[in-house]
Amino acid sequence: MIGAPPPPSWRKPAGMFAILALIALWAFVIGSLSEPLARLPGWAQIPIYVVSGIVWIMPLKPLLQWMETGRWKA
């Protein structure tokens, strides 16, 4: 006989809201810098926006791991 599935964890909804908050915060930070960045030439803006578009992903790995396991490190 197959046992009942484990009860849902509160970590997944909490992690979802944390991810949404992280994205909103990062968008606010980058958006608030858009005026000074607009004064830069286009060739200088491209790497800044590419890097800022990638950097926000870095905190997601430990957050996703915590959502699945309840631990921050492996």
Short mmCIF file of all heavy atoms in Angstrom, two decimals:
data_model
loop_
_atom_site.label_atom_id
_atom_site.label_comp_id
_atom_site.label_asym_id
_atom_site.label_seq_id
_atom_site.Cartn_x
_atom_site.Cartn_y
_atom_site.Cartn_z
N MET A 1 0.83 -1.18 0.00
CA MET A 1 0.00 0.00 0.00
C MET A 1 0.87 1.24 0.00
O MET A 1 1.87 1.33 0.71
CB MET A 1 -0.89 -0.03 1.24
CG MET A 1 -1.85 1.10 1.29
SD MET A 1 -3.02 0.76 2.62
CE MET A 1 -3.59 2.36 2.89
N ILE A 2 0.51 2.18 -0.81
CA ILE A 2 1.28 3.42 -0.93
C ILE A 2 0.84 4.38 0.17
O ILE A 2 -0.35 4.57 0.41
CB ILE A 2 1.06 4.06 -2.32
CG1 ILE A 2 1.55 3.10 -3.41
CG2 ILE A 2 1.76 5.39 -2.41
CD1 ILE A 2 1.28 3.58 -4.80
N GLY A 3 1.83 4.97 0.84
CA GLY A 3 1.54 5.91 1.93
C GLY A 3 0.99 7.23 1.40
O GLY A 3 1.08 7.54 0.21
N ALA A 4 0.42 7.98 2.28
CA ALA A 4 -0.11 9.29 1.92
C ALA A 4 1.04 10.24 1.59
O ALA A 4 2.12 10.14 2.16
CB ALA A 4 -0.93 9.84 3.08
N PRO A 5 0.81 11.14 0.67
CA PRO A 5 1.87 12.10 0.35
C PRO A 5 2.13 13.02 1.54
O PRO A 5 1.23 13.25 2.36
CB PRO A 5 1.29 12.89 -0.83
CG PRO A 5 -0.17 12.71 -0.76
CD PRO A 5 -0.40 11.37 -0.11
N PRO A 6 3.35 13.51 1.64
CA PRO A 6 3.65 14.39 2.77
C PRO A 6 2.83 15.68 2.67
O PRO A 6 2.46 16.10 1.57
CB PRO A 6 5.15 14.68 2.62
CG PRO A 6 5.46 14.38 1.21
CD PRO A 6 4.48 13.34 0.76
N PRO A 7 2.56 16.30 3.79
CA PRO A 7 1.79 17.55 3.73
C PRO A 7 2.60 18.63 3.02
O PRO A 7 3.83 18.61 3.06
CB PRO A 7 1.57 17.91 5.20
CG PRO A 7 2.62 17.17 5.94
CD PRO A 7 2.92 15.94 5.14
N PRO A 8 1.92 19.55 2.35
CA PRO A 8 2.66 20.59 1.63
C PRO A 8 3.48 21.45 2.59
O PRO A 8 3.08 21.69 3.72
CB PRO A 8 1.57 21.42 0.96
CG PRO A 8 0.27 20.89 1.42
CD PRO A 8 0.49 19.67 2.23
N SER A 9 4.62 21.87 2.11
CA SER A 9 5.51 22.69 2.92
C SER A 9 5.17 24.16 2.73
O SER A 9 4.83 24.61 1.63
CB SER A 9 6.96 22.44 2.48
OG SER A 9 7.81 23.37 3.09
N TRP A 10 5.31 24.94 3.79
CA TRP A 10 5.08 26.38 3.71
C TRP A 10 6.24 27.08 3.00
O TRP A 10 6.12 28.23 2.60
CB TRP A 10 4.92 26.96 5.12
CG TRP A 10 6.15 26.74 5.97
CD1 TRP A 10 6.41 25.66 6.75
CD2 TRP A 10 7.29 27.59 6.07
NE1 TRP A 10 7.64 25.79 7.34
CE2 TRP A 10 8.20 26.97 6.94
CE3 TRP A 10 7.62 28.81 5.52
CZ2 TRP A 10 9.42 27.54 7.27
CZ3 TRP A 10 8.85 29.37 5.84
CH2 TRP A 10 9.73 28.73 6.71
N ARG A 11 7.37 26.36 2.82
CA ARG A 11 8.54 26.98 2.22
C ARG A 11 8.32 27.36 0.76
O ARG A 11 8.85 28.36 0.30
CB ARG A 11 9.75 26.05 2.33
CG ARG A 11 10.27 25.90 3.74
CD ARG A 11 11.58 25.13 3.79
NE ARG A 11 11.56 23.90 3.03
CZ ARG A 11 11.25 22.71 3.52
NH1 ARG A 11 10.96 22.58 4.78
NH2 ARG A 11 11.28 21.64 2.75
N LYS A 12 7.55 26.55 0.03
CA LYS A 12 7.37 26.85 -1.40
C LYS A 12 6.58 28.15 -1.61
O LYS A 12 7.03 29.01 -2.38
CB LYS A 12 6.74 25.67 -2.11
CG LYS A 12 7.74 24.53 -2.23
CD LYS A 12 7.31 23.48 -3.17
CE LYS A 12 8.40 22.40 -3.19
NZ LYS A 12 8.17 21.41 -4.18
N PRO A 13 5.43 28.34 -0.97
CA PRO A 13 4.75 29.64 -1.15
C PRO A 13 5.58 30.81 -0.62
O PRO A 13 5.63 31.87 -1.25
CB PRO A 13 3.45 29.49 -0.36
CG PRO A 13 3.28 28.06 -0.10
CD PRO A 13 4.61 27.40 -0.22
N ALA A 14 6.27 30.60 0.51
CA ALA A 14 7.12 31.66 1.05
C ALA A 14 8.25 31.98 0.07
O ALA A 14 8.58 33.15 -0.15
CB ALA A 14 7.69 31.25 2.40
N GLY A 15 8.83 30.96 -0.52
CA GLY A 15 9.89 31.16 -1.50
C GLY A 15 9.39 31.86 -2.75
O GLY A 15 10.08 32.70 -3.32
N MET A 16 8.17 31.52 -3.17
CA MET A 16 7.59 32.20 -4.34
C MET A 16 7.46 33.69 -4.08
O MET A 16 7.81 34.51 -4.93
CB MET A 16 6.21 31.62 -4.66
CG MET A 16 6.21 30.52 -5.67
SD MET A 16 4.57 30.01 -6.21
CE MET A 16 3.46 30.52 -4.95
N PHE A 17 6.93 34.03 -2.90
CA PHE A 17 6.79 35.45 -2.57
C PHE A 17 8.15 36.13 -2.44
O PHE A 17 8.31 37.28 -2.82
CB PHE A 17 5.96 35.62 -1.31
CG PHE A 17 4.49 35.37 -1.53
CD1 PHE A 17 3.86 34.34 -0.87
CD2 PHE A 17 3.76 36.15 -2.42
CE1 PHE A 17 2.52 34.09 -1.08
CE2 PHE A 17 2.42 35.90 -2.64
CZ PHE A 17 1.79 34.88 -1.97
N ALA A 18 9.14 35.41 -1.92
CA ALA A 18 10.49 35.97 -1.81
C ALA A 18 11.08 36.23 -3.20
O ALA A 18 11.73 37.25 -3.43
CB ALA A 18 11.39 35.03 -1.01
N ILE A 19 10.85 35.32 -4.14
CA ILE A 19 11.34 35.51 -5.51
C ILE A 19 10.66 36.72 -6.15
O ILE A 19 11.33 37.55 -6.77
CB ILE A 19 11.12 34.24 -6.35
CG1 ILE A 19 12.07 33.13 -5.88
CG2 ILE A 19 11.32 34.51 -7.84
CD1 ILE A 19 11.77 31.77 -6.47
N LEU A 20 9.35 36.83 -5.98
CA LEU A 20 8.65 37.99 -6.53
C LEU A 20 9.13 39.29 -5.90
O LEU A 20 9.30 40.30 -6.59
CB LEU A 20 7.13 37.83 -6.34
CG LEU A 20 6.48 36.73 -7.15
CD1 LEU A 20 5.01 36.58 -6.75
CD2 LEU A 20 6.61 37.00 -8.64
N ALA A 21 9.38 39.27 -4.59
CA ALA A 21 9.90 40.46 -3.91
C ALA A 21 11.30 40.80 -4.42
O ALA A 21 11.62 41.98 -4.63
CB ALA A 21 9.91 40.24 -2.41
N LEU A 22 12.13 39.78 -4.64
CA LEU A 22 13.47 40.00 -5.16
C LEU A 22 13.42 40.64 -6.54
O LEU A 22 14.14 41.60 -6.82
CB LEU A 22 14.23 38.68 -5.22
CG LEU A 22 15.61 38.71 -5.89
CD1 LEU A 22 16.58 39.48 -5.02
CD2 LEU A 22 16.11 37.30 -6.13
N ILE A 23 12.55 40.13 -7.40
CA ILE A 23 12.42 40.69 -8.75
C ILE A 23 11.92 42.13 -8.68
O ILE A 23 12.44 43.01 -9.38
CB ILE A 23 11.49 39.81 -9.60
CG1 ILE A 23 12.15 38.46 -9.89
CG2 ILE A 23 11.14 40.51 -10.92
CD1 ILE A 23 11.23 37.44 -10.52
N ALA A 24 10.92 42.39 -7.84
CA ALA A 24 10.38 43.75 -7.72
C ALA A 24 11.44 44.71 -7.18
O ALA A 24 11.59 45.83 -7.69
CB ALA A 24 9.15 43.75 -6.82
N LEU A 25 12.18 44.29 -6.17
CA LEU A 25 13.24 45.13 -5.60
C LEU A 25 14.32 45.42 -6.64
O LEU A 25 14.76 46.56 -6.80
CB LEU A 25 13.85 44.46 -4.37
CG LEU A 25 15.01 45.19 -3.73
CD1 LEU A 25 14.55 46.51 -3.13
CD2 LEU A 25 15.65 44.32 -2.66
N TRP A 26 14.74 44.38 -7.35
CA TRP A 26 15.79 44.55 -8.36
C TRP A 26 15.31 45.47 -9.49
O TRP A 26 16.07 46.32 -9.95
CB TRP A 26 16.23 43.20 -8.89
CG TRP A 26 17.49 43.28 -9.69
CD1 TRP A 26 17.63 43.06 -11.02
CD2 TRP A 26 18.79 43.62 -9.22
NE1 TRP A 26 18.93 43.23 -11.40
CE2 TRP A 26 19.68 43.59 -10.31
CE3 TRP A 26 19.29 43.97 -7.97
CZ2 TRP A 26 21.03 43.88 -10.19
CZ3 TRP A 26 20.65 44.26 -7.85
CH2 TRP A 26 21.49 44.21 -8.95
N ALA A 27 14.06 45.31 -9.91
CA ALA A 27 13.52 46.18 -10.96
C ALA A 27 13.46 47.63 -10.47
O ALA A 27 13.75 48.56 -11.24
CB ALA A 27 12.13 45.70 -11.37
N PHE A 28 13.10 47.83 -9.21
CA PHE A 28 13.07 49.18 -8.65
C PHE A 28 14.47 49.80 -8.63
O PHE A 28 14.65 50.95 -9.00
CB PHE A 28 12.47 49.16 -7.24
CG PHE A 28 12.51 50.50 -6.57
CD1 PHE A 28 11.60 51.49 -6.91
CD2 PHE A 28 13.46 50.77 -5.60
CE1 PHE A 28 11.64 52.74 -6.30
CE2 PHE A 28 13.51 52.01 -4.99
CZ PHE A 28 12.60 53.00 -5.34
N VAL A 29 15.46 49.02 -8.18
CA VAL A 29 16.84 49.52 -8.11
C VAL A 29 17.34 49.89 -9.50
O VAL A 29 17.87 50.99 -9.71
CB VAL A 29 17.76 48.49 -7.44
CG1 VAL A 29 19.23 48.85 -7.61
CG2 VAL A 29 17.41 48.34 -5.97
N ILE A 30 17.18 49.00 -10.45
CA ILE A 30 17.66 49.27 -11.80
C ILE A 30 16.86 50.40 -12.44
O ILE A 30 17.42 51.26 -13.12
CB ILE A 30 17.61 47.99 -12.67
CG1 ILE A 30 18.53 46.92 -12.07
CG2 ILE A 30 18.00 48.28 -14.11
CD1 ILE A 30 19.98 47.34 -11.89
N GLY A 31 15.55 50.44 -12.20
CA GLY A 31 14.73 51.52 -12.73
C GLY A 31 15.12 52.87 -12.16
O GLY A 31 15.10 53.89 -12.86
N SER A 32 15.49 52.90 -10.89
CA SER A 32 15.90 54.17 -10.30
C SER A 32 17.25 54.64 -10.84
O SER A 32 17.56 55.82 -10.77
CB SER A 32 15.95 54.05 -8.77
OG SER A 32 16.97 53.17 -8.38
N LEU A 33 18.02 53.73 -11.37
CA LEU A 33 19.31 54.10 -11.98
C LEU A 33 19.18 54.40 -13.48
O LEU A 33 20.18 54.74 -14.12
CB LEU A 33 20.32 52.97 -11.79
CG LEU A 33 20.72 52.66 -10.35
CD1 LEU A 33 21.61 51.42 -10.32
CD2 LEU A 33 21.44 53.85 -9.73
N SER A 34 17.99 54.29 -14.02
CA SER A 34 17.84 54.44 -15.46
C SER A 34 18.16 55.85 -15.96
O SER A 34 18.70 56.00 -17.05
CB SER A 34 16.43 54.03 -15.91
OG SER A 34 15.48 54.92 -15.37
N GLU A 35 17.86 56.87 -15.16
CA GLU A 35 18.17 58.23 -15.62
C GLU A 35 19.68 58.48 -15.72
O GLU A 35 20.15 58.94 -16.75
CB GLU A 35 17.52 59.26 -14.70
CG GLU A 35 17.64 60.68 -15.24
CD GLU A 35 16.91 61.68 -14.38
OE1 GLU A 35 15.90 61.31 -13.77
OE2 GLU A 35 17.35 62.82 -14.33
N PRO A 36 20.46 58.15 -14.66
CA PRO A 36 21.91 58.32 -14.82
C PRO A 36 22.49 57.42 -15.92
O PRO A 36 23.41 57.83 -16.64
CB PRO A 36 22.49 57.94 -13.46
CG PRO A 36 21.37 57.94 -12.50
CD PRO A 36 20.12 57.77 -13.30
N LEU A 37 21.94 56.22 -16.06
CA LEU A 37 22.45 55.33 -17.10
C LEU A 37 22.10 55.83 -18.49
O LEU A 37 22.83 55.58 -19.45
CB LEU A 37 21.91 53.91 -16.90
CG LEU A 37 22.45 53.15 -15.70
CD1 LEU A 37 21.76 51.80 -15.57
CD2 LEU A 37 23.94 52.97 -15.80
N ALA A 38 20.99 56.54 -18.61
CA ALA A 38 20.57 57.05 -19.92
C ALA A 38 21.55 58.11 -20.44
O ALA A 38 21.61 58.36 -21.64
CB ALA A 38 19.18 57.63 -19.84
N ARG A 39 22.30 58.72 -19.54
CA ARG A 39 23.28 59.73 -19.96
C ARG A 39 24.53 59.10 -20.58
O ARG A 39 25.30 59.78 -21.24
CB ARG A 39 23.68 60.58 -18.76
CG ARG A 39 22.56 61.41 -18.23
CD ARG A 39 23.04 62.35 -17.13
NE ARG A 39 21.91 62.83 -16.40
CZ ARG A 39 21.72 62.68 -15.10
NH1 ARG A 39 22.63 62.08 -14.37
NH2 ARG A 39 20.65 63.14 -14.51
N LEU A 40 24.71 57.81 -20.33
CA LEU A 40 25.86 57.11 -20.91
C LEU A 40 25.60 56.80 -22.37
O LEU A 40 24.45 56.65 -22.79
CB LEU A 40 26.11 55.79 -20.16
CG LEU A 40 26.50 55.90 -18.69
CD1 LEU A 40 26.53 54.51 -18.07
CD2 LEU A 40 27.84 56.57 -18.55
N PRO A 41 26.66 56.65 -23.16
CA PRO A 41 26.46 56.23 -24.55
C PRO A 41 25.89 54.80 -24.60
O PRO A 41 26.05 54.01 -23.67
CB PRO A 41 27.86 56.28 -25.16
CG PRO A 41 28.81 56.47 -24.04
CD PRO A 41 28.05 56.90 -22.84
N GLY A 42 25.22 54.50 -25.68
CA GLY A 42 24.57 53.20 -25.84
C GLY A 42 25.50 52.03 -25.68
O GLY A 42 25.14 51.01 -25.09
N TRP A 43 26.72 52.15 -26.20
CA TRP A 43 27.67 51.04 -26.10
C TRP A 43 28.06 50.76 -24.65
O TRP A 43 28.43 49.65 -24.32
CB TRP A 43 28.92 51.30 -26.94
CG TRP A 43 29.69 52.53 -26.54
CD1 TRP A 43 29.56 53.78 -27.06
CD2 TRP A 43 30.69 52.62 -25.52
NE1 TRP A 43 30.40 54.65 -26.42
CE2 TRP A 43 31.11 53.96 -25.47
CE3 TRP A 43 31.25 51.71 -24.64
CZ2 TRP A 43 32.08 54.41 -24.58
CZ3 TRP A 43 32.22 52.17 -23.75
CH2 TRP A 43 32.62 53.50 -23.73
N ALA A 44 27.97 51.77 -23.77
CA ALA A 44 28.28 51.58 -22.35
C ALA A 44 27.07 51.05 -21.59
O ALA A 44 27.23 50.39 -20.55
CB ALA A 44 28.77 52.88 -21.74
N GLN A 45 25.88 51.33 -22.06
CA GLN A 45 24.67 50.87 -21.38
C GLN A 45 24.46 49.36 -21.55
O GLN A 45 23.98 48.70 -20.63
CB GLN A 45 23.45 51.60 -21.93
CG GLN A 45 23.38 53.05 -21.58
CD GLN A 45 22.15 53.71 -22.17
OE1 GLN A 45 21.16 53.05 -22.42
NE2 GLN A 45 22.23 55.01 -22.38
N ILE A 46 24.81 48.86 -22.70
CA ILE A 46 24.54 47.45 -23.02
C ILE A 46 25.15 46.50 -21.98
O ILE A 46 24.43 45.68 -21.41
CB ILE A 46 25.00 47.10 -24.45
CG1 ILE A 46 24.10 47.82 -25.45
CG2 ILE A 46 24.96 45.59 -24.68
CD1 ILE A 46 24.57 47.71 -26.88
N PRO A 47 26.47 46.59 -21.69
CA PRO A 47 27.00 45.65 -20.70
C PRO A 47 26.41 45.84 -19.30
O PRO A 47 26.24 44.87 -18.56
CB PRO A 47 28.51 45.90 -20.70
CG PRO A 47 28.72 47.16 -21.44
CD PRO A 47 27.51 47.42 -22.27
N ILE A 48 26.07 47.07 -18.95
CA ILE A 48 25.48 47.32 -17.63
C ILE A 48 24.13 46.62 -17.52
O ILE A 48 23.85 45.95 -16.52
CB ILE A 48 25.34 48.84 -17.38
CG1 ILE A 48 26.72 49.47 -17.25
CG2 ILE A 48 24.50 49.10 -16.14
CD1 ILE A 48 26.72 50.98 -17.23
N TYR A 49 23.30 46.76 -18.54
CA TYR A 49 21.98 46.12 -18.50
C TYR A 49 22.08 44.59 -18.63
O TYR A 49 21.29 43.87 -18.04
CB TYR A 49 21.05 46.71 -19.55
CG TYR A 49 20.51 48.05 -19.14
CD1 TYR A 49 20.82 49.20 -19.85
CD2 TYR A 49 19.69 48.17 -18.03
CE1 TYR A 49 20.31 50.43 -19.46
CE2 TYR A 49 19.18 49.39 -17.63
CZ TYR A 49 19.49 50.52 -18.35
OH TYR A 49 19.01 51.74 -17.95
N VAL A 50 23.05 44.11 -19.39
CA VAL A 50 23.23 42.65 -19.51
C VAL A 50 23.65 42.07 -18.16
O VAL A 50 23.08 41.08 -17.69
CB VAL A 50 24.27 42.31 -20.61
CG1 VAL A 50 24.70 40.85 -20.53
CG2 VAL A 50 23.70 42.62 -21.98
N VAL A 51 24.63 42.71 -17.51
CA VAL A 51 25.10 42.22 -16.21
C VAL A 51 23.98 42.33 -15.17
O VAL A 51 23.74 41.40 -14.41
CB VAL A 51 26.36 42.98 -15.76
CG1 VAL A 51 26.70 42.69 -14.31
CG2 VAL A 51 27.53 42.63 -16.66
N SER A 52 23.28 43.46 -15.15
CA SER A 52 22.20 43.62 -14.16
C SER A 52 21.05 42.66 -14.44
O SER A 52 20.31 42.30 -13.52
CB SER A 52 21.70 45.06 -14.13
OG SER A 52 21.07 45.42 -15.34
N GLY A 53 20.89 42.24 -15.68
CA GLY A 53 19.87 41.26 -16.00
C GLY A 53 20.22 39.85 -15.59
O GLY A 53 19.36 38.99 -15.46
N ILE A 54 21.51 39.60 -15.34
CA ILE A 54 21.97 38.28 -14.94
C ILE A 54 22.21 38.20 -13.43
O ILE A 54 21.93 37.17 -12.82
CB ILE A 54 23.26 37.91 -15.71
CG1 ILE A 54 22.95 37.78 -17.20
CG2 ILE A 54 23.89 36.64 -15.17
CD1 ILE A 54 24.16 37.63 -18.08
N VAL A 55 22.66 39.29 -12.82
CA VAL A 55 23.06 39.28 -11.42
C VAL A 55 21.92 38.91 -10.48
O VAL A 55 22.13 38.23 -9.48
CB VAL A 55 23.67 40.65 -11.03
CG1 VAL A 55 23.78 40.83 -9.54
CG2 VAL A 55 25.02 40.81 -11.69
N TRP A 56 20.70 39.32 -10.79
CA TRP A 56 19.58 39.04 -9.88
C TRP A 56 19.30 37.55 -9.75
O TRP A 56 18.66 37.12 -8.79
CB TRP A 56 18.32 39.77 -10.33
CG TRP A 56 17.69 39.19 -11.56
CD1 TRP A 56 17.97 39.51 -12.84
CD2 TRP A 56 16.67 38.19 -11.60
NE1 TRP A 56 17.20 38.76 -13.70
CE2 TRP A 56 16.39 37.95 -12.96
CE3 TRP A 56 15.97 37.48 -10.64
CZ2 TRP A 56 15.44 37.02 -13.37
CZ3 TRP A 56 15.02 36.55 -11.06
CH2 TRP A 56 14.77 36.34 -12.41
N ILE A 57 19.81 36.75 -10.68
CA ILE A 57 19.56 35.31 -10.65
C ILE A 57 20.42 34.61 -9.58
O ILE A 57 20.03 33.56 -9.07
CB ILE A 57 19.82 34.70 -12.05
CG1 ILE A 57 18.86 35.32 -13.06
CG2 ILE A 57 19.70 33.20 -12.05
CD1 ILE A 57 19.13 34.96 -14.49
N MET A 58 21.55 35.21 -9.21
CA MET A 58 22.49 34.55 -8.28
C MET A 58 21.86 34.15 -6.94
O MET A 58 22.12 33.05 -6.47
CB MET A 58 23.71 35.42 -8.07
CG MET A 58 24.60 35.49 -9.26
SD MET A 58 26.04 36.47 -8.92
CE MET A 58 26.65 36.71 -10.57
N PRO A 59 21.04 34.98 -6.30
CA PRO A 59 20.46 34.55 -5.02
C PRO A 59 19.39 33.47 -5.18
O PRO A 59 18.94 32.90 -4.18
CB PRO A 59 19.84 35.80 -4.43
CG PRO A 59 20.17 36.93 -5.33
CD PRO A 59 20.78 36.38 -6.56
N LEU A 60 18.98 33.17 -6.39
CA LEU A 60 17.91 32.20 -6.58
C LEU A 60 18.33 30.77 -6.27
O LEU A 60 17.52 29.99 -5.77
CB LEU A 60 17.36 32.26 -8.00
CG LEU A 60 16.54 33.50 -8.33
CD1 LEU A 60 15.98 33.38 -9.73
CD2 LEU A 60 15.42 33.71 -7.34
N LYS A 61 19.57 30.39 -6.55
CA LYS A 61 19.99 29.01 -6.32
C LYS A 61 19.84 28.62 -4.86
O LYS A 61 19.20 27.61 -4.56
CB LYS A 61 21.41 28.78 -6.81
CG LYS A 61 21.84 27.34 -6.64
CD LYS A 61 23.20 27.07 -7.19
CE LYS A 61 23.55 25.61 -6.99
NZ LYS A 61 24.88 25.30 -7.43
N PRO A 62 20.40 29.39 -3.90
CA PRO A 62 20.19 28.98 -2.50
C PRO A 62 18.73 29.07 -2.07
O PRO A 62 18.26 28.25 -1.28
CB PRO A 62 21.06 29.94 -1.69
CG PRO A 62 21.63 30.91 -2.63
CD PRO A 62 21.33 30.48 -4.02
N LEU A 63 18.01 30.05 -2.60
CA LEU A 63 16.59 30.18 -2.25
C LEU A 63 15.79 28.98 -2.76
O LEU A 63 14.97 28.40 -2.02
CB LEU A 63 16.01 31.48 -2.81
CG LEU A 63 14.54 31.75 -2.52
CD1 LEU A 63 14.29 31.79 -1.02
CD2 LEU A 63 14.11 33.04 -3.18
N LEU A 64 16.04 28.56 -3.98
CA LEU A 64 15.35 27.39 -4.53
C LEU A 64 15.74 26.12 -3.77
O LEU A 64 14.90 25.24 -3.53
CB LEU A 64 15.63 27.25 -6.02
CG LEU A 64 15.02 28.32 -6.91
CD1 LEU A 64 15.55 28.21 -8.32
CD2 LEU A 64 13.50 28.23 -6.90
N GLN A 65 17.00 26.03 -3.39
CA GLN A 65 17.45 24.86 -2.62
C GLN A 65 16.75 24.84 -1.26
O GLN A 65 16.32 23.79 -0.80
CB GLN A 65 18.96 24.89 -2.44
CG GLN A 65 19.49 23.70 -1.71
CD GLN A 65 21.00 23.68 -1.66
OE1 GLN A 65 21.66 24.55 -2.22
NE2 GLN A 65 21.54 22.71 -0.99
N TRP A 66 16.62 26.01 -0.62
CA TRP A 66 15.92 26.07 0.66
C TRP A 66 14.46 25.68 0.49
O TRP A 66 13.90 24.98 1.34
CB TRP A 66 16.04 27.49 1.23
CG TRP A 66 15.18 27.68 2.43
CD1 TRP A 66 15.45 27.26 3.70
CD2 TRP A 66 13.91 28.32 2.47
NE1 TRP A 66 14.42 27.62 4.53
CE2 TRP A 66 13.45 28.27 3.80
CE3 TRP A 66 13.12 28.95 1.52
CZ2 TRP A 66 12.24 28.81 4.19
CZ3 TRP A 66 11.90 29.49 1.90
CH2 TRP A 66 11.49 29.42 3.24
N MET A 67 13.85 26.12 -0.60
CA MET A 67 12.45 25.77 -0.84
C MET A 67 12.26 24.26 -0.93
O MET A 67 11.26 23.72 -0.48
CB MET A 67 11.93 26.45 -2.12
CG MET A 67 11.72 27.93 -1.98
SD MET A 67 11.43 28.76 -3.55
CE MET A 67 9.95 27.97 -4.13
N GLU A 68 13.22 23.57 -1.52
CA GLU A 68 13.10 22.12 -1.70
C GLU A 68 13.51 21.32 -0.48
O GLU A 68 12.86 20.34 -0.13
CB GLU A 68 13.98 21.67 -2.89
CG GLU A 68 13.39 22.01 -4.23
CD GLU A 68 12.11 21.25 -4.50
OE1 GLU A 68 12.02 20.06 -4.16
OE2 GLU A 68 11.18 21.85 -5.07
N THR A 69 14.59 21.75 0.18
CA THR A 69 15.18 20.90 1.24
C THR A 69 15.02 21.48 2.64
O THR A 69 15.14 20.74 3.62
CB THR A 69 16.67 20.69 0.98
OG1 THR A 69 17.34 21.94 1.07
CG2 THR A 69 16.92 20.05 -0.36
N GLY A 70 14.85 22.78 2.77
CA GLY A 70 14.81 23.41 4.08
C GLY A 70 16.19 23.80 4.57
O GLY A 70 16.34 24.31 5.67
N ARG A 71 17.22 23.55 3.76
CA ARG A 71 18.60 23.92 4.11
C ARG A 71 19.11 24.93 3.11
O ARG A 71 18.77 24.90 1.93
CB ARG A 71 19.50 22.69 4.08
CG ARG A 71 19.16 21.68 5.14
CD ARG A 71 20.16 20.53 5.08
NE ARG A 71 20.35 20.10 3.69
CZ ARG A 71 20.07 18.89 3.24
NH1 ARG A 71 19.62 17.98 4.04
NH2 ARG A 71 20.28 18.58 1.98
N TRP A 72 19.96 25.84 3.56
CA TRP A 72 20.53 26.86 2.67
C TRP A 72 21.74 26.34 1.92
O TRP A 72 22.05 26.80 0.85
CB TRP A 72 20.89 28.11 3.44
CG TRP A 72 19.67 28.88 3.85
CD1 TRP A 72 19.10 28.89 5.08
CD2 TRP A 72 18.86 29.72 3.03
NE1 TRP A 72 17.98 29.68 5.07
CE2 TRP A 72 17.82 30.20 3.83
CE3 TRP A 72 18.92 30.11 1.70
CZ2 TRP A 72 16.84 31.07 3.35
CZ3 TRP A 72 17.94 30.97 1.22
CH2 TRP A 72 16.93 31.44 2.03
N LYS A 73 22.45 25.40 2.50
CA LYS A 73 23.65 24.85 1.84
C LYS A 73 23.51 23.34 1.70
O LYS A 73 22.81 22.69 2.46
CB LYS A 73 24.90 25.17 2.66
CG LYS A 73 25.19 26.65 2.71
CD LYS A 73 26.53 26.91 3.30
CE LYS A 73 26.74 28.42 3.28
NZ LYS A 73 28.10 28.77 3.38
N ALA A 74 24.23 22.81 0.72
CA ALA A 74 24.14 21.37 0.45
C ALA A 74 24.79 20.54 1.51
O ALA A 74 25.50 20.89 2.34
CB ALA A 74 24.79 21.07 -0.89
#
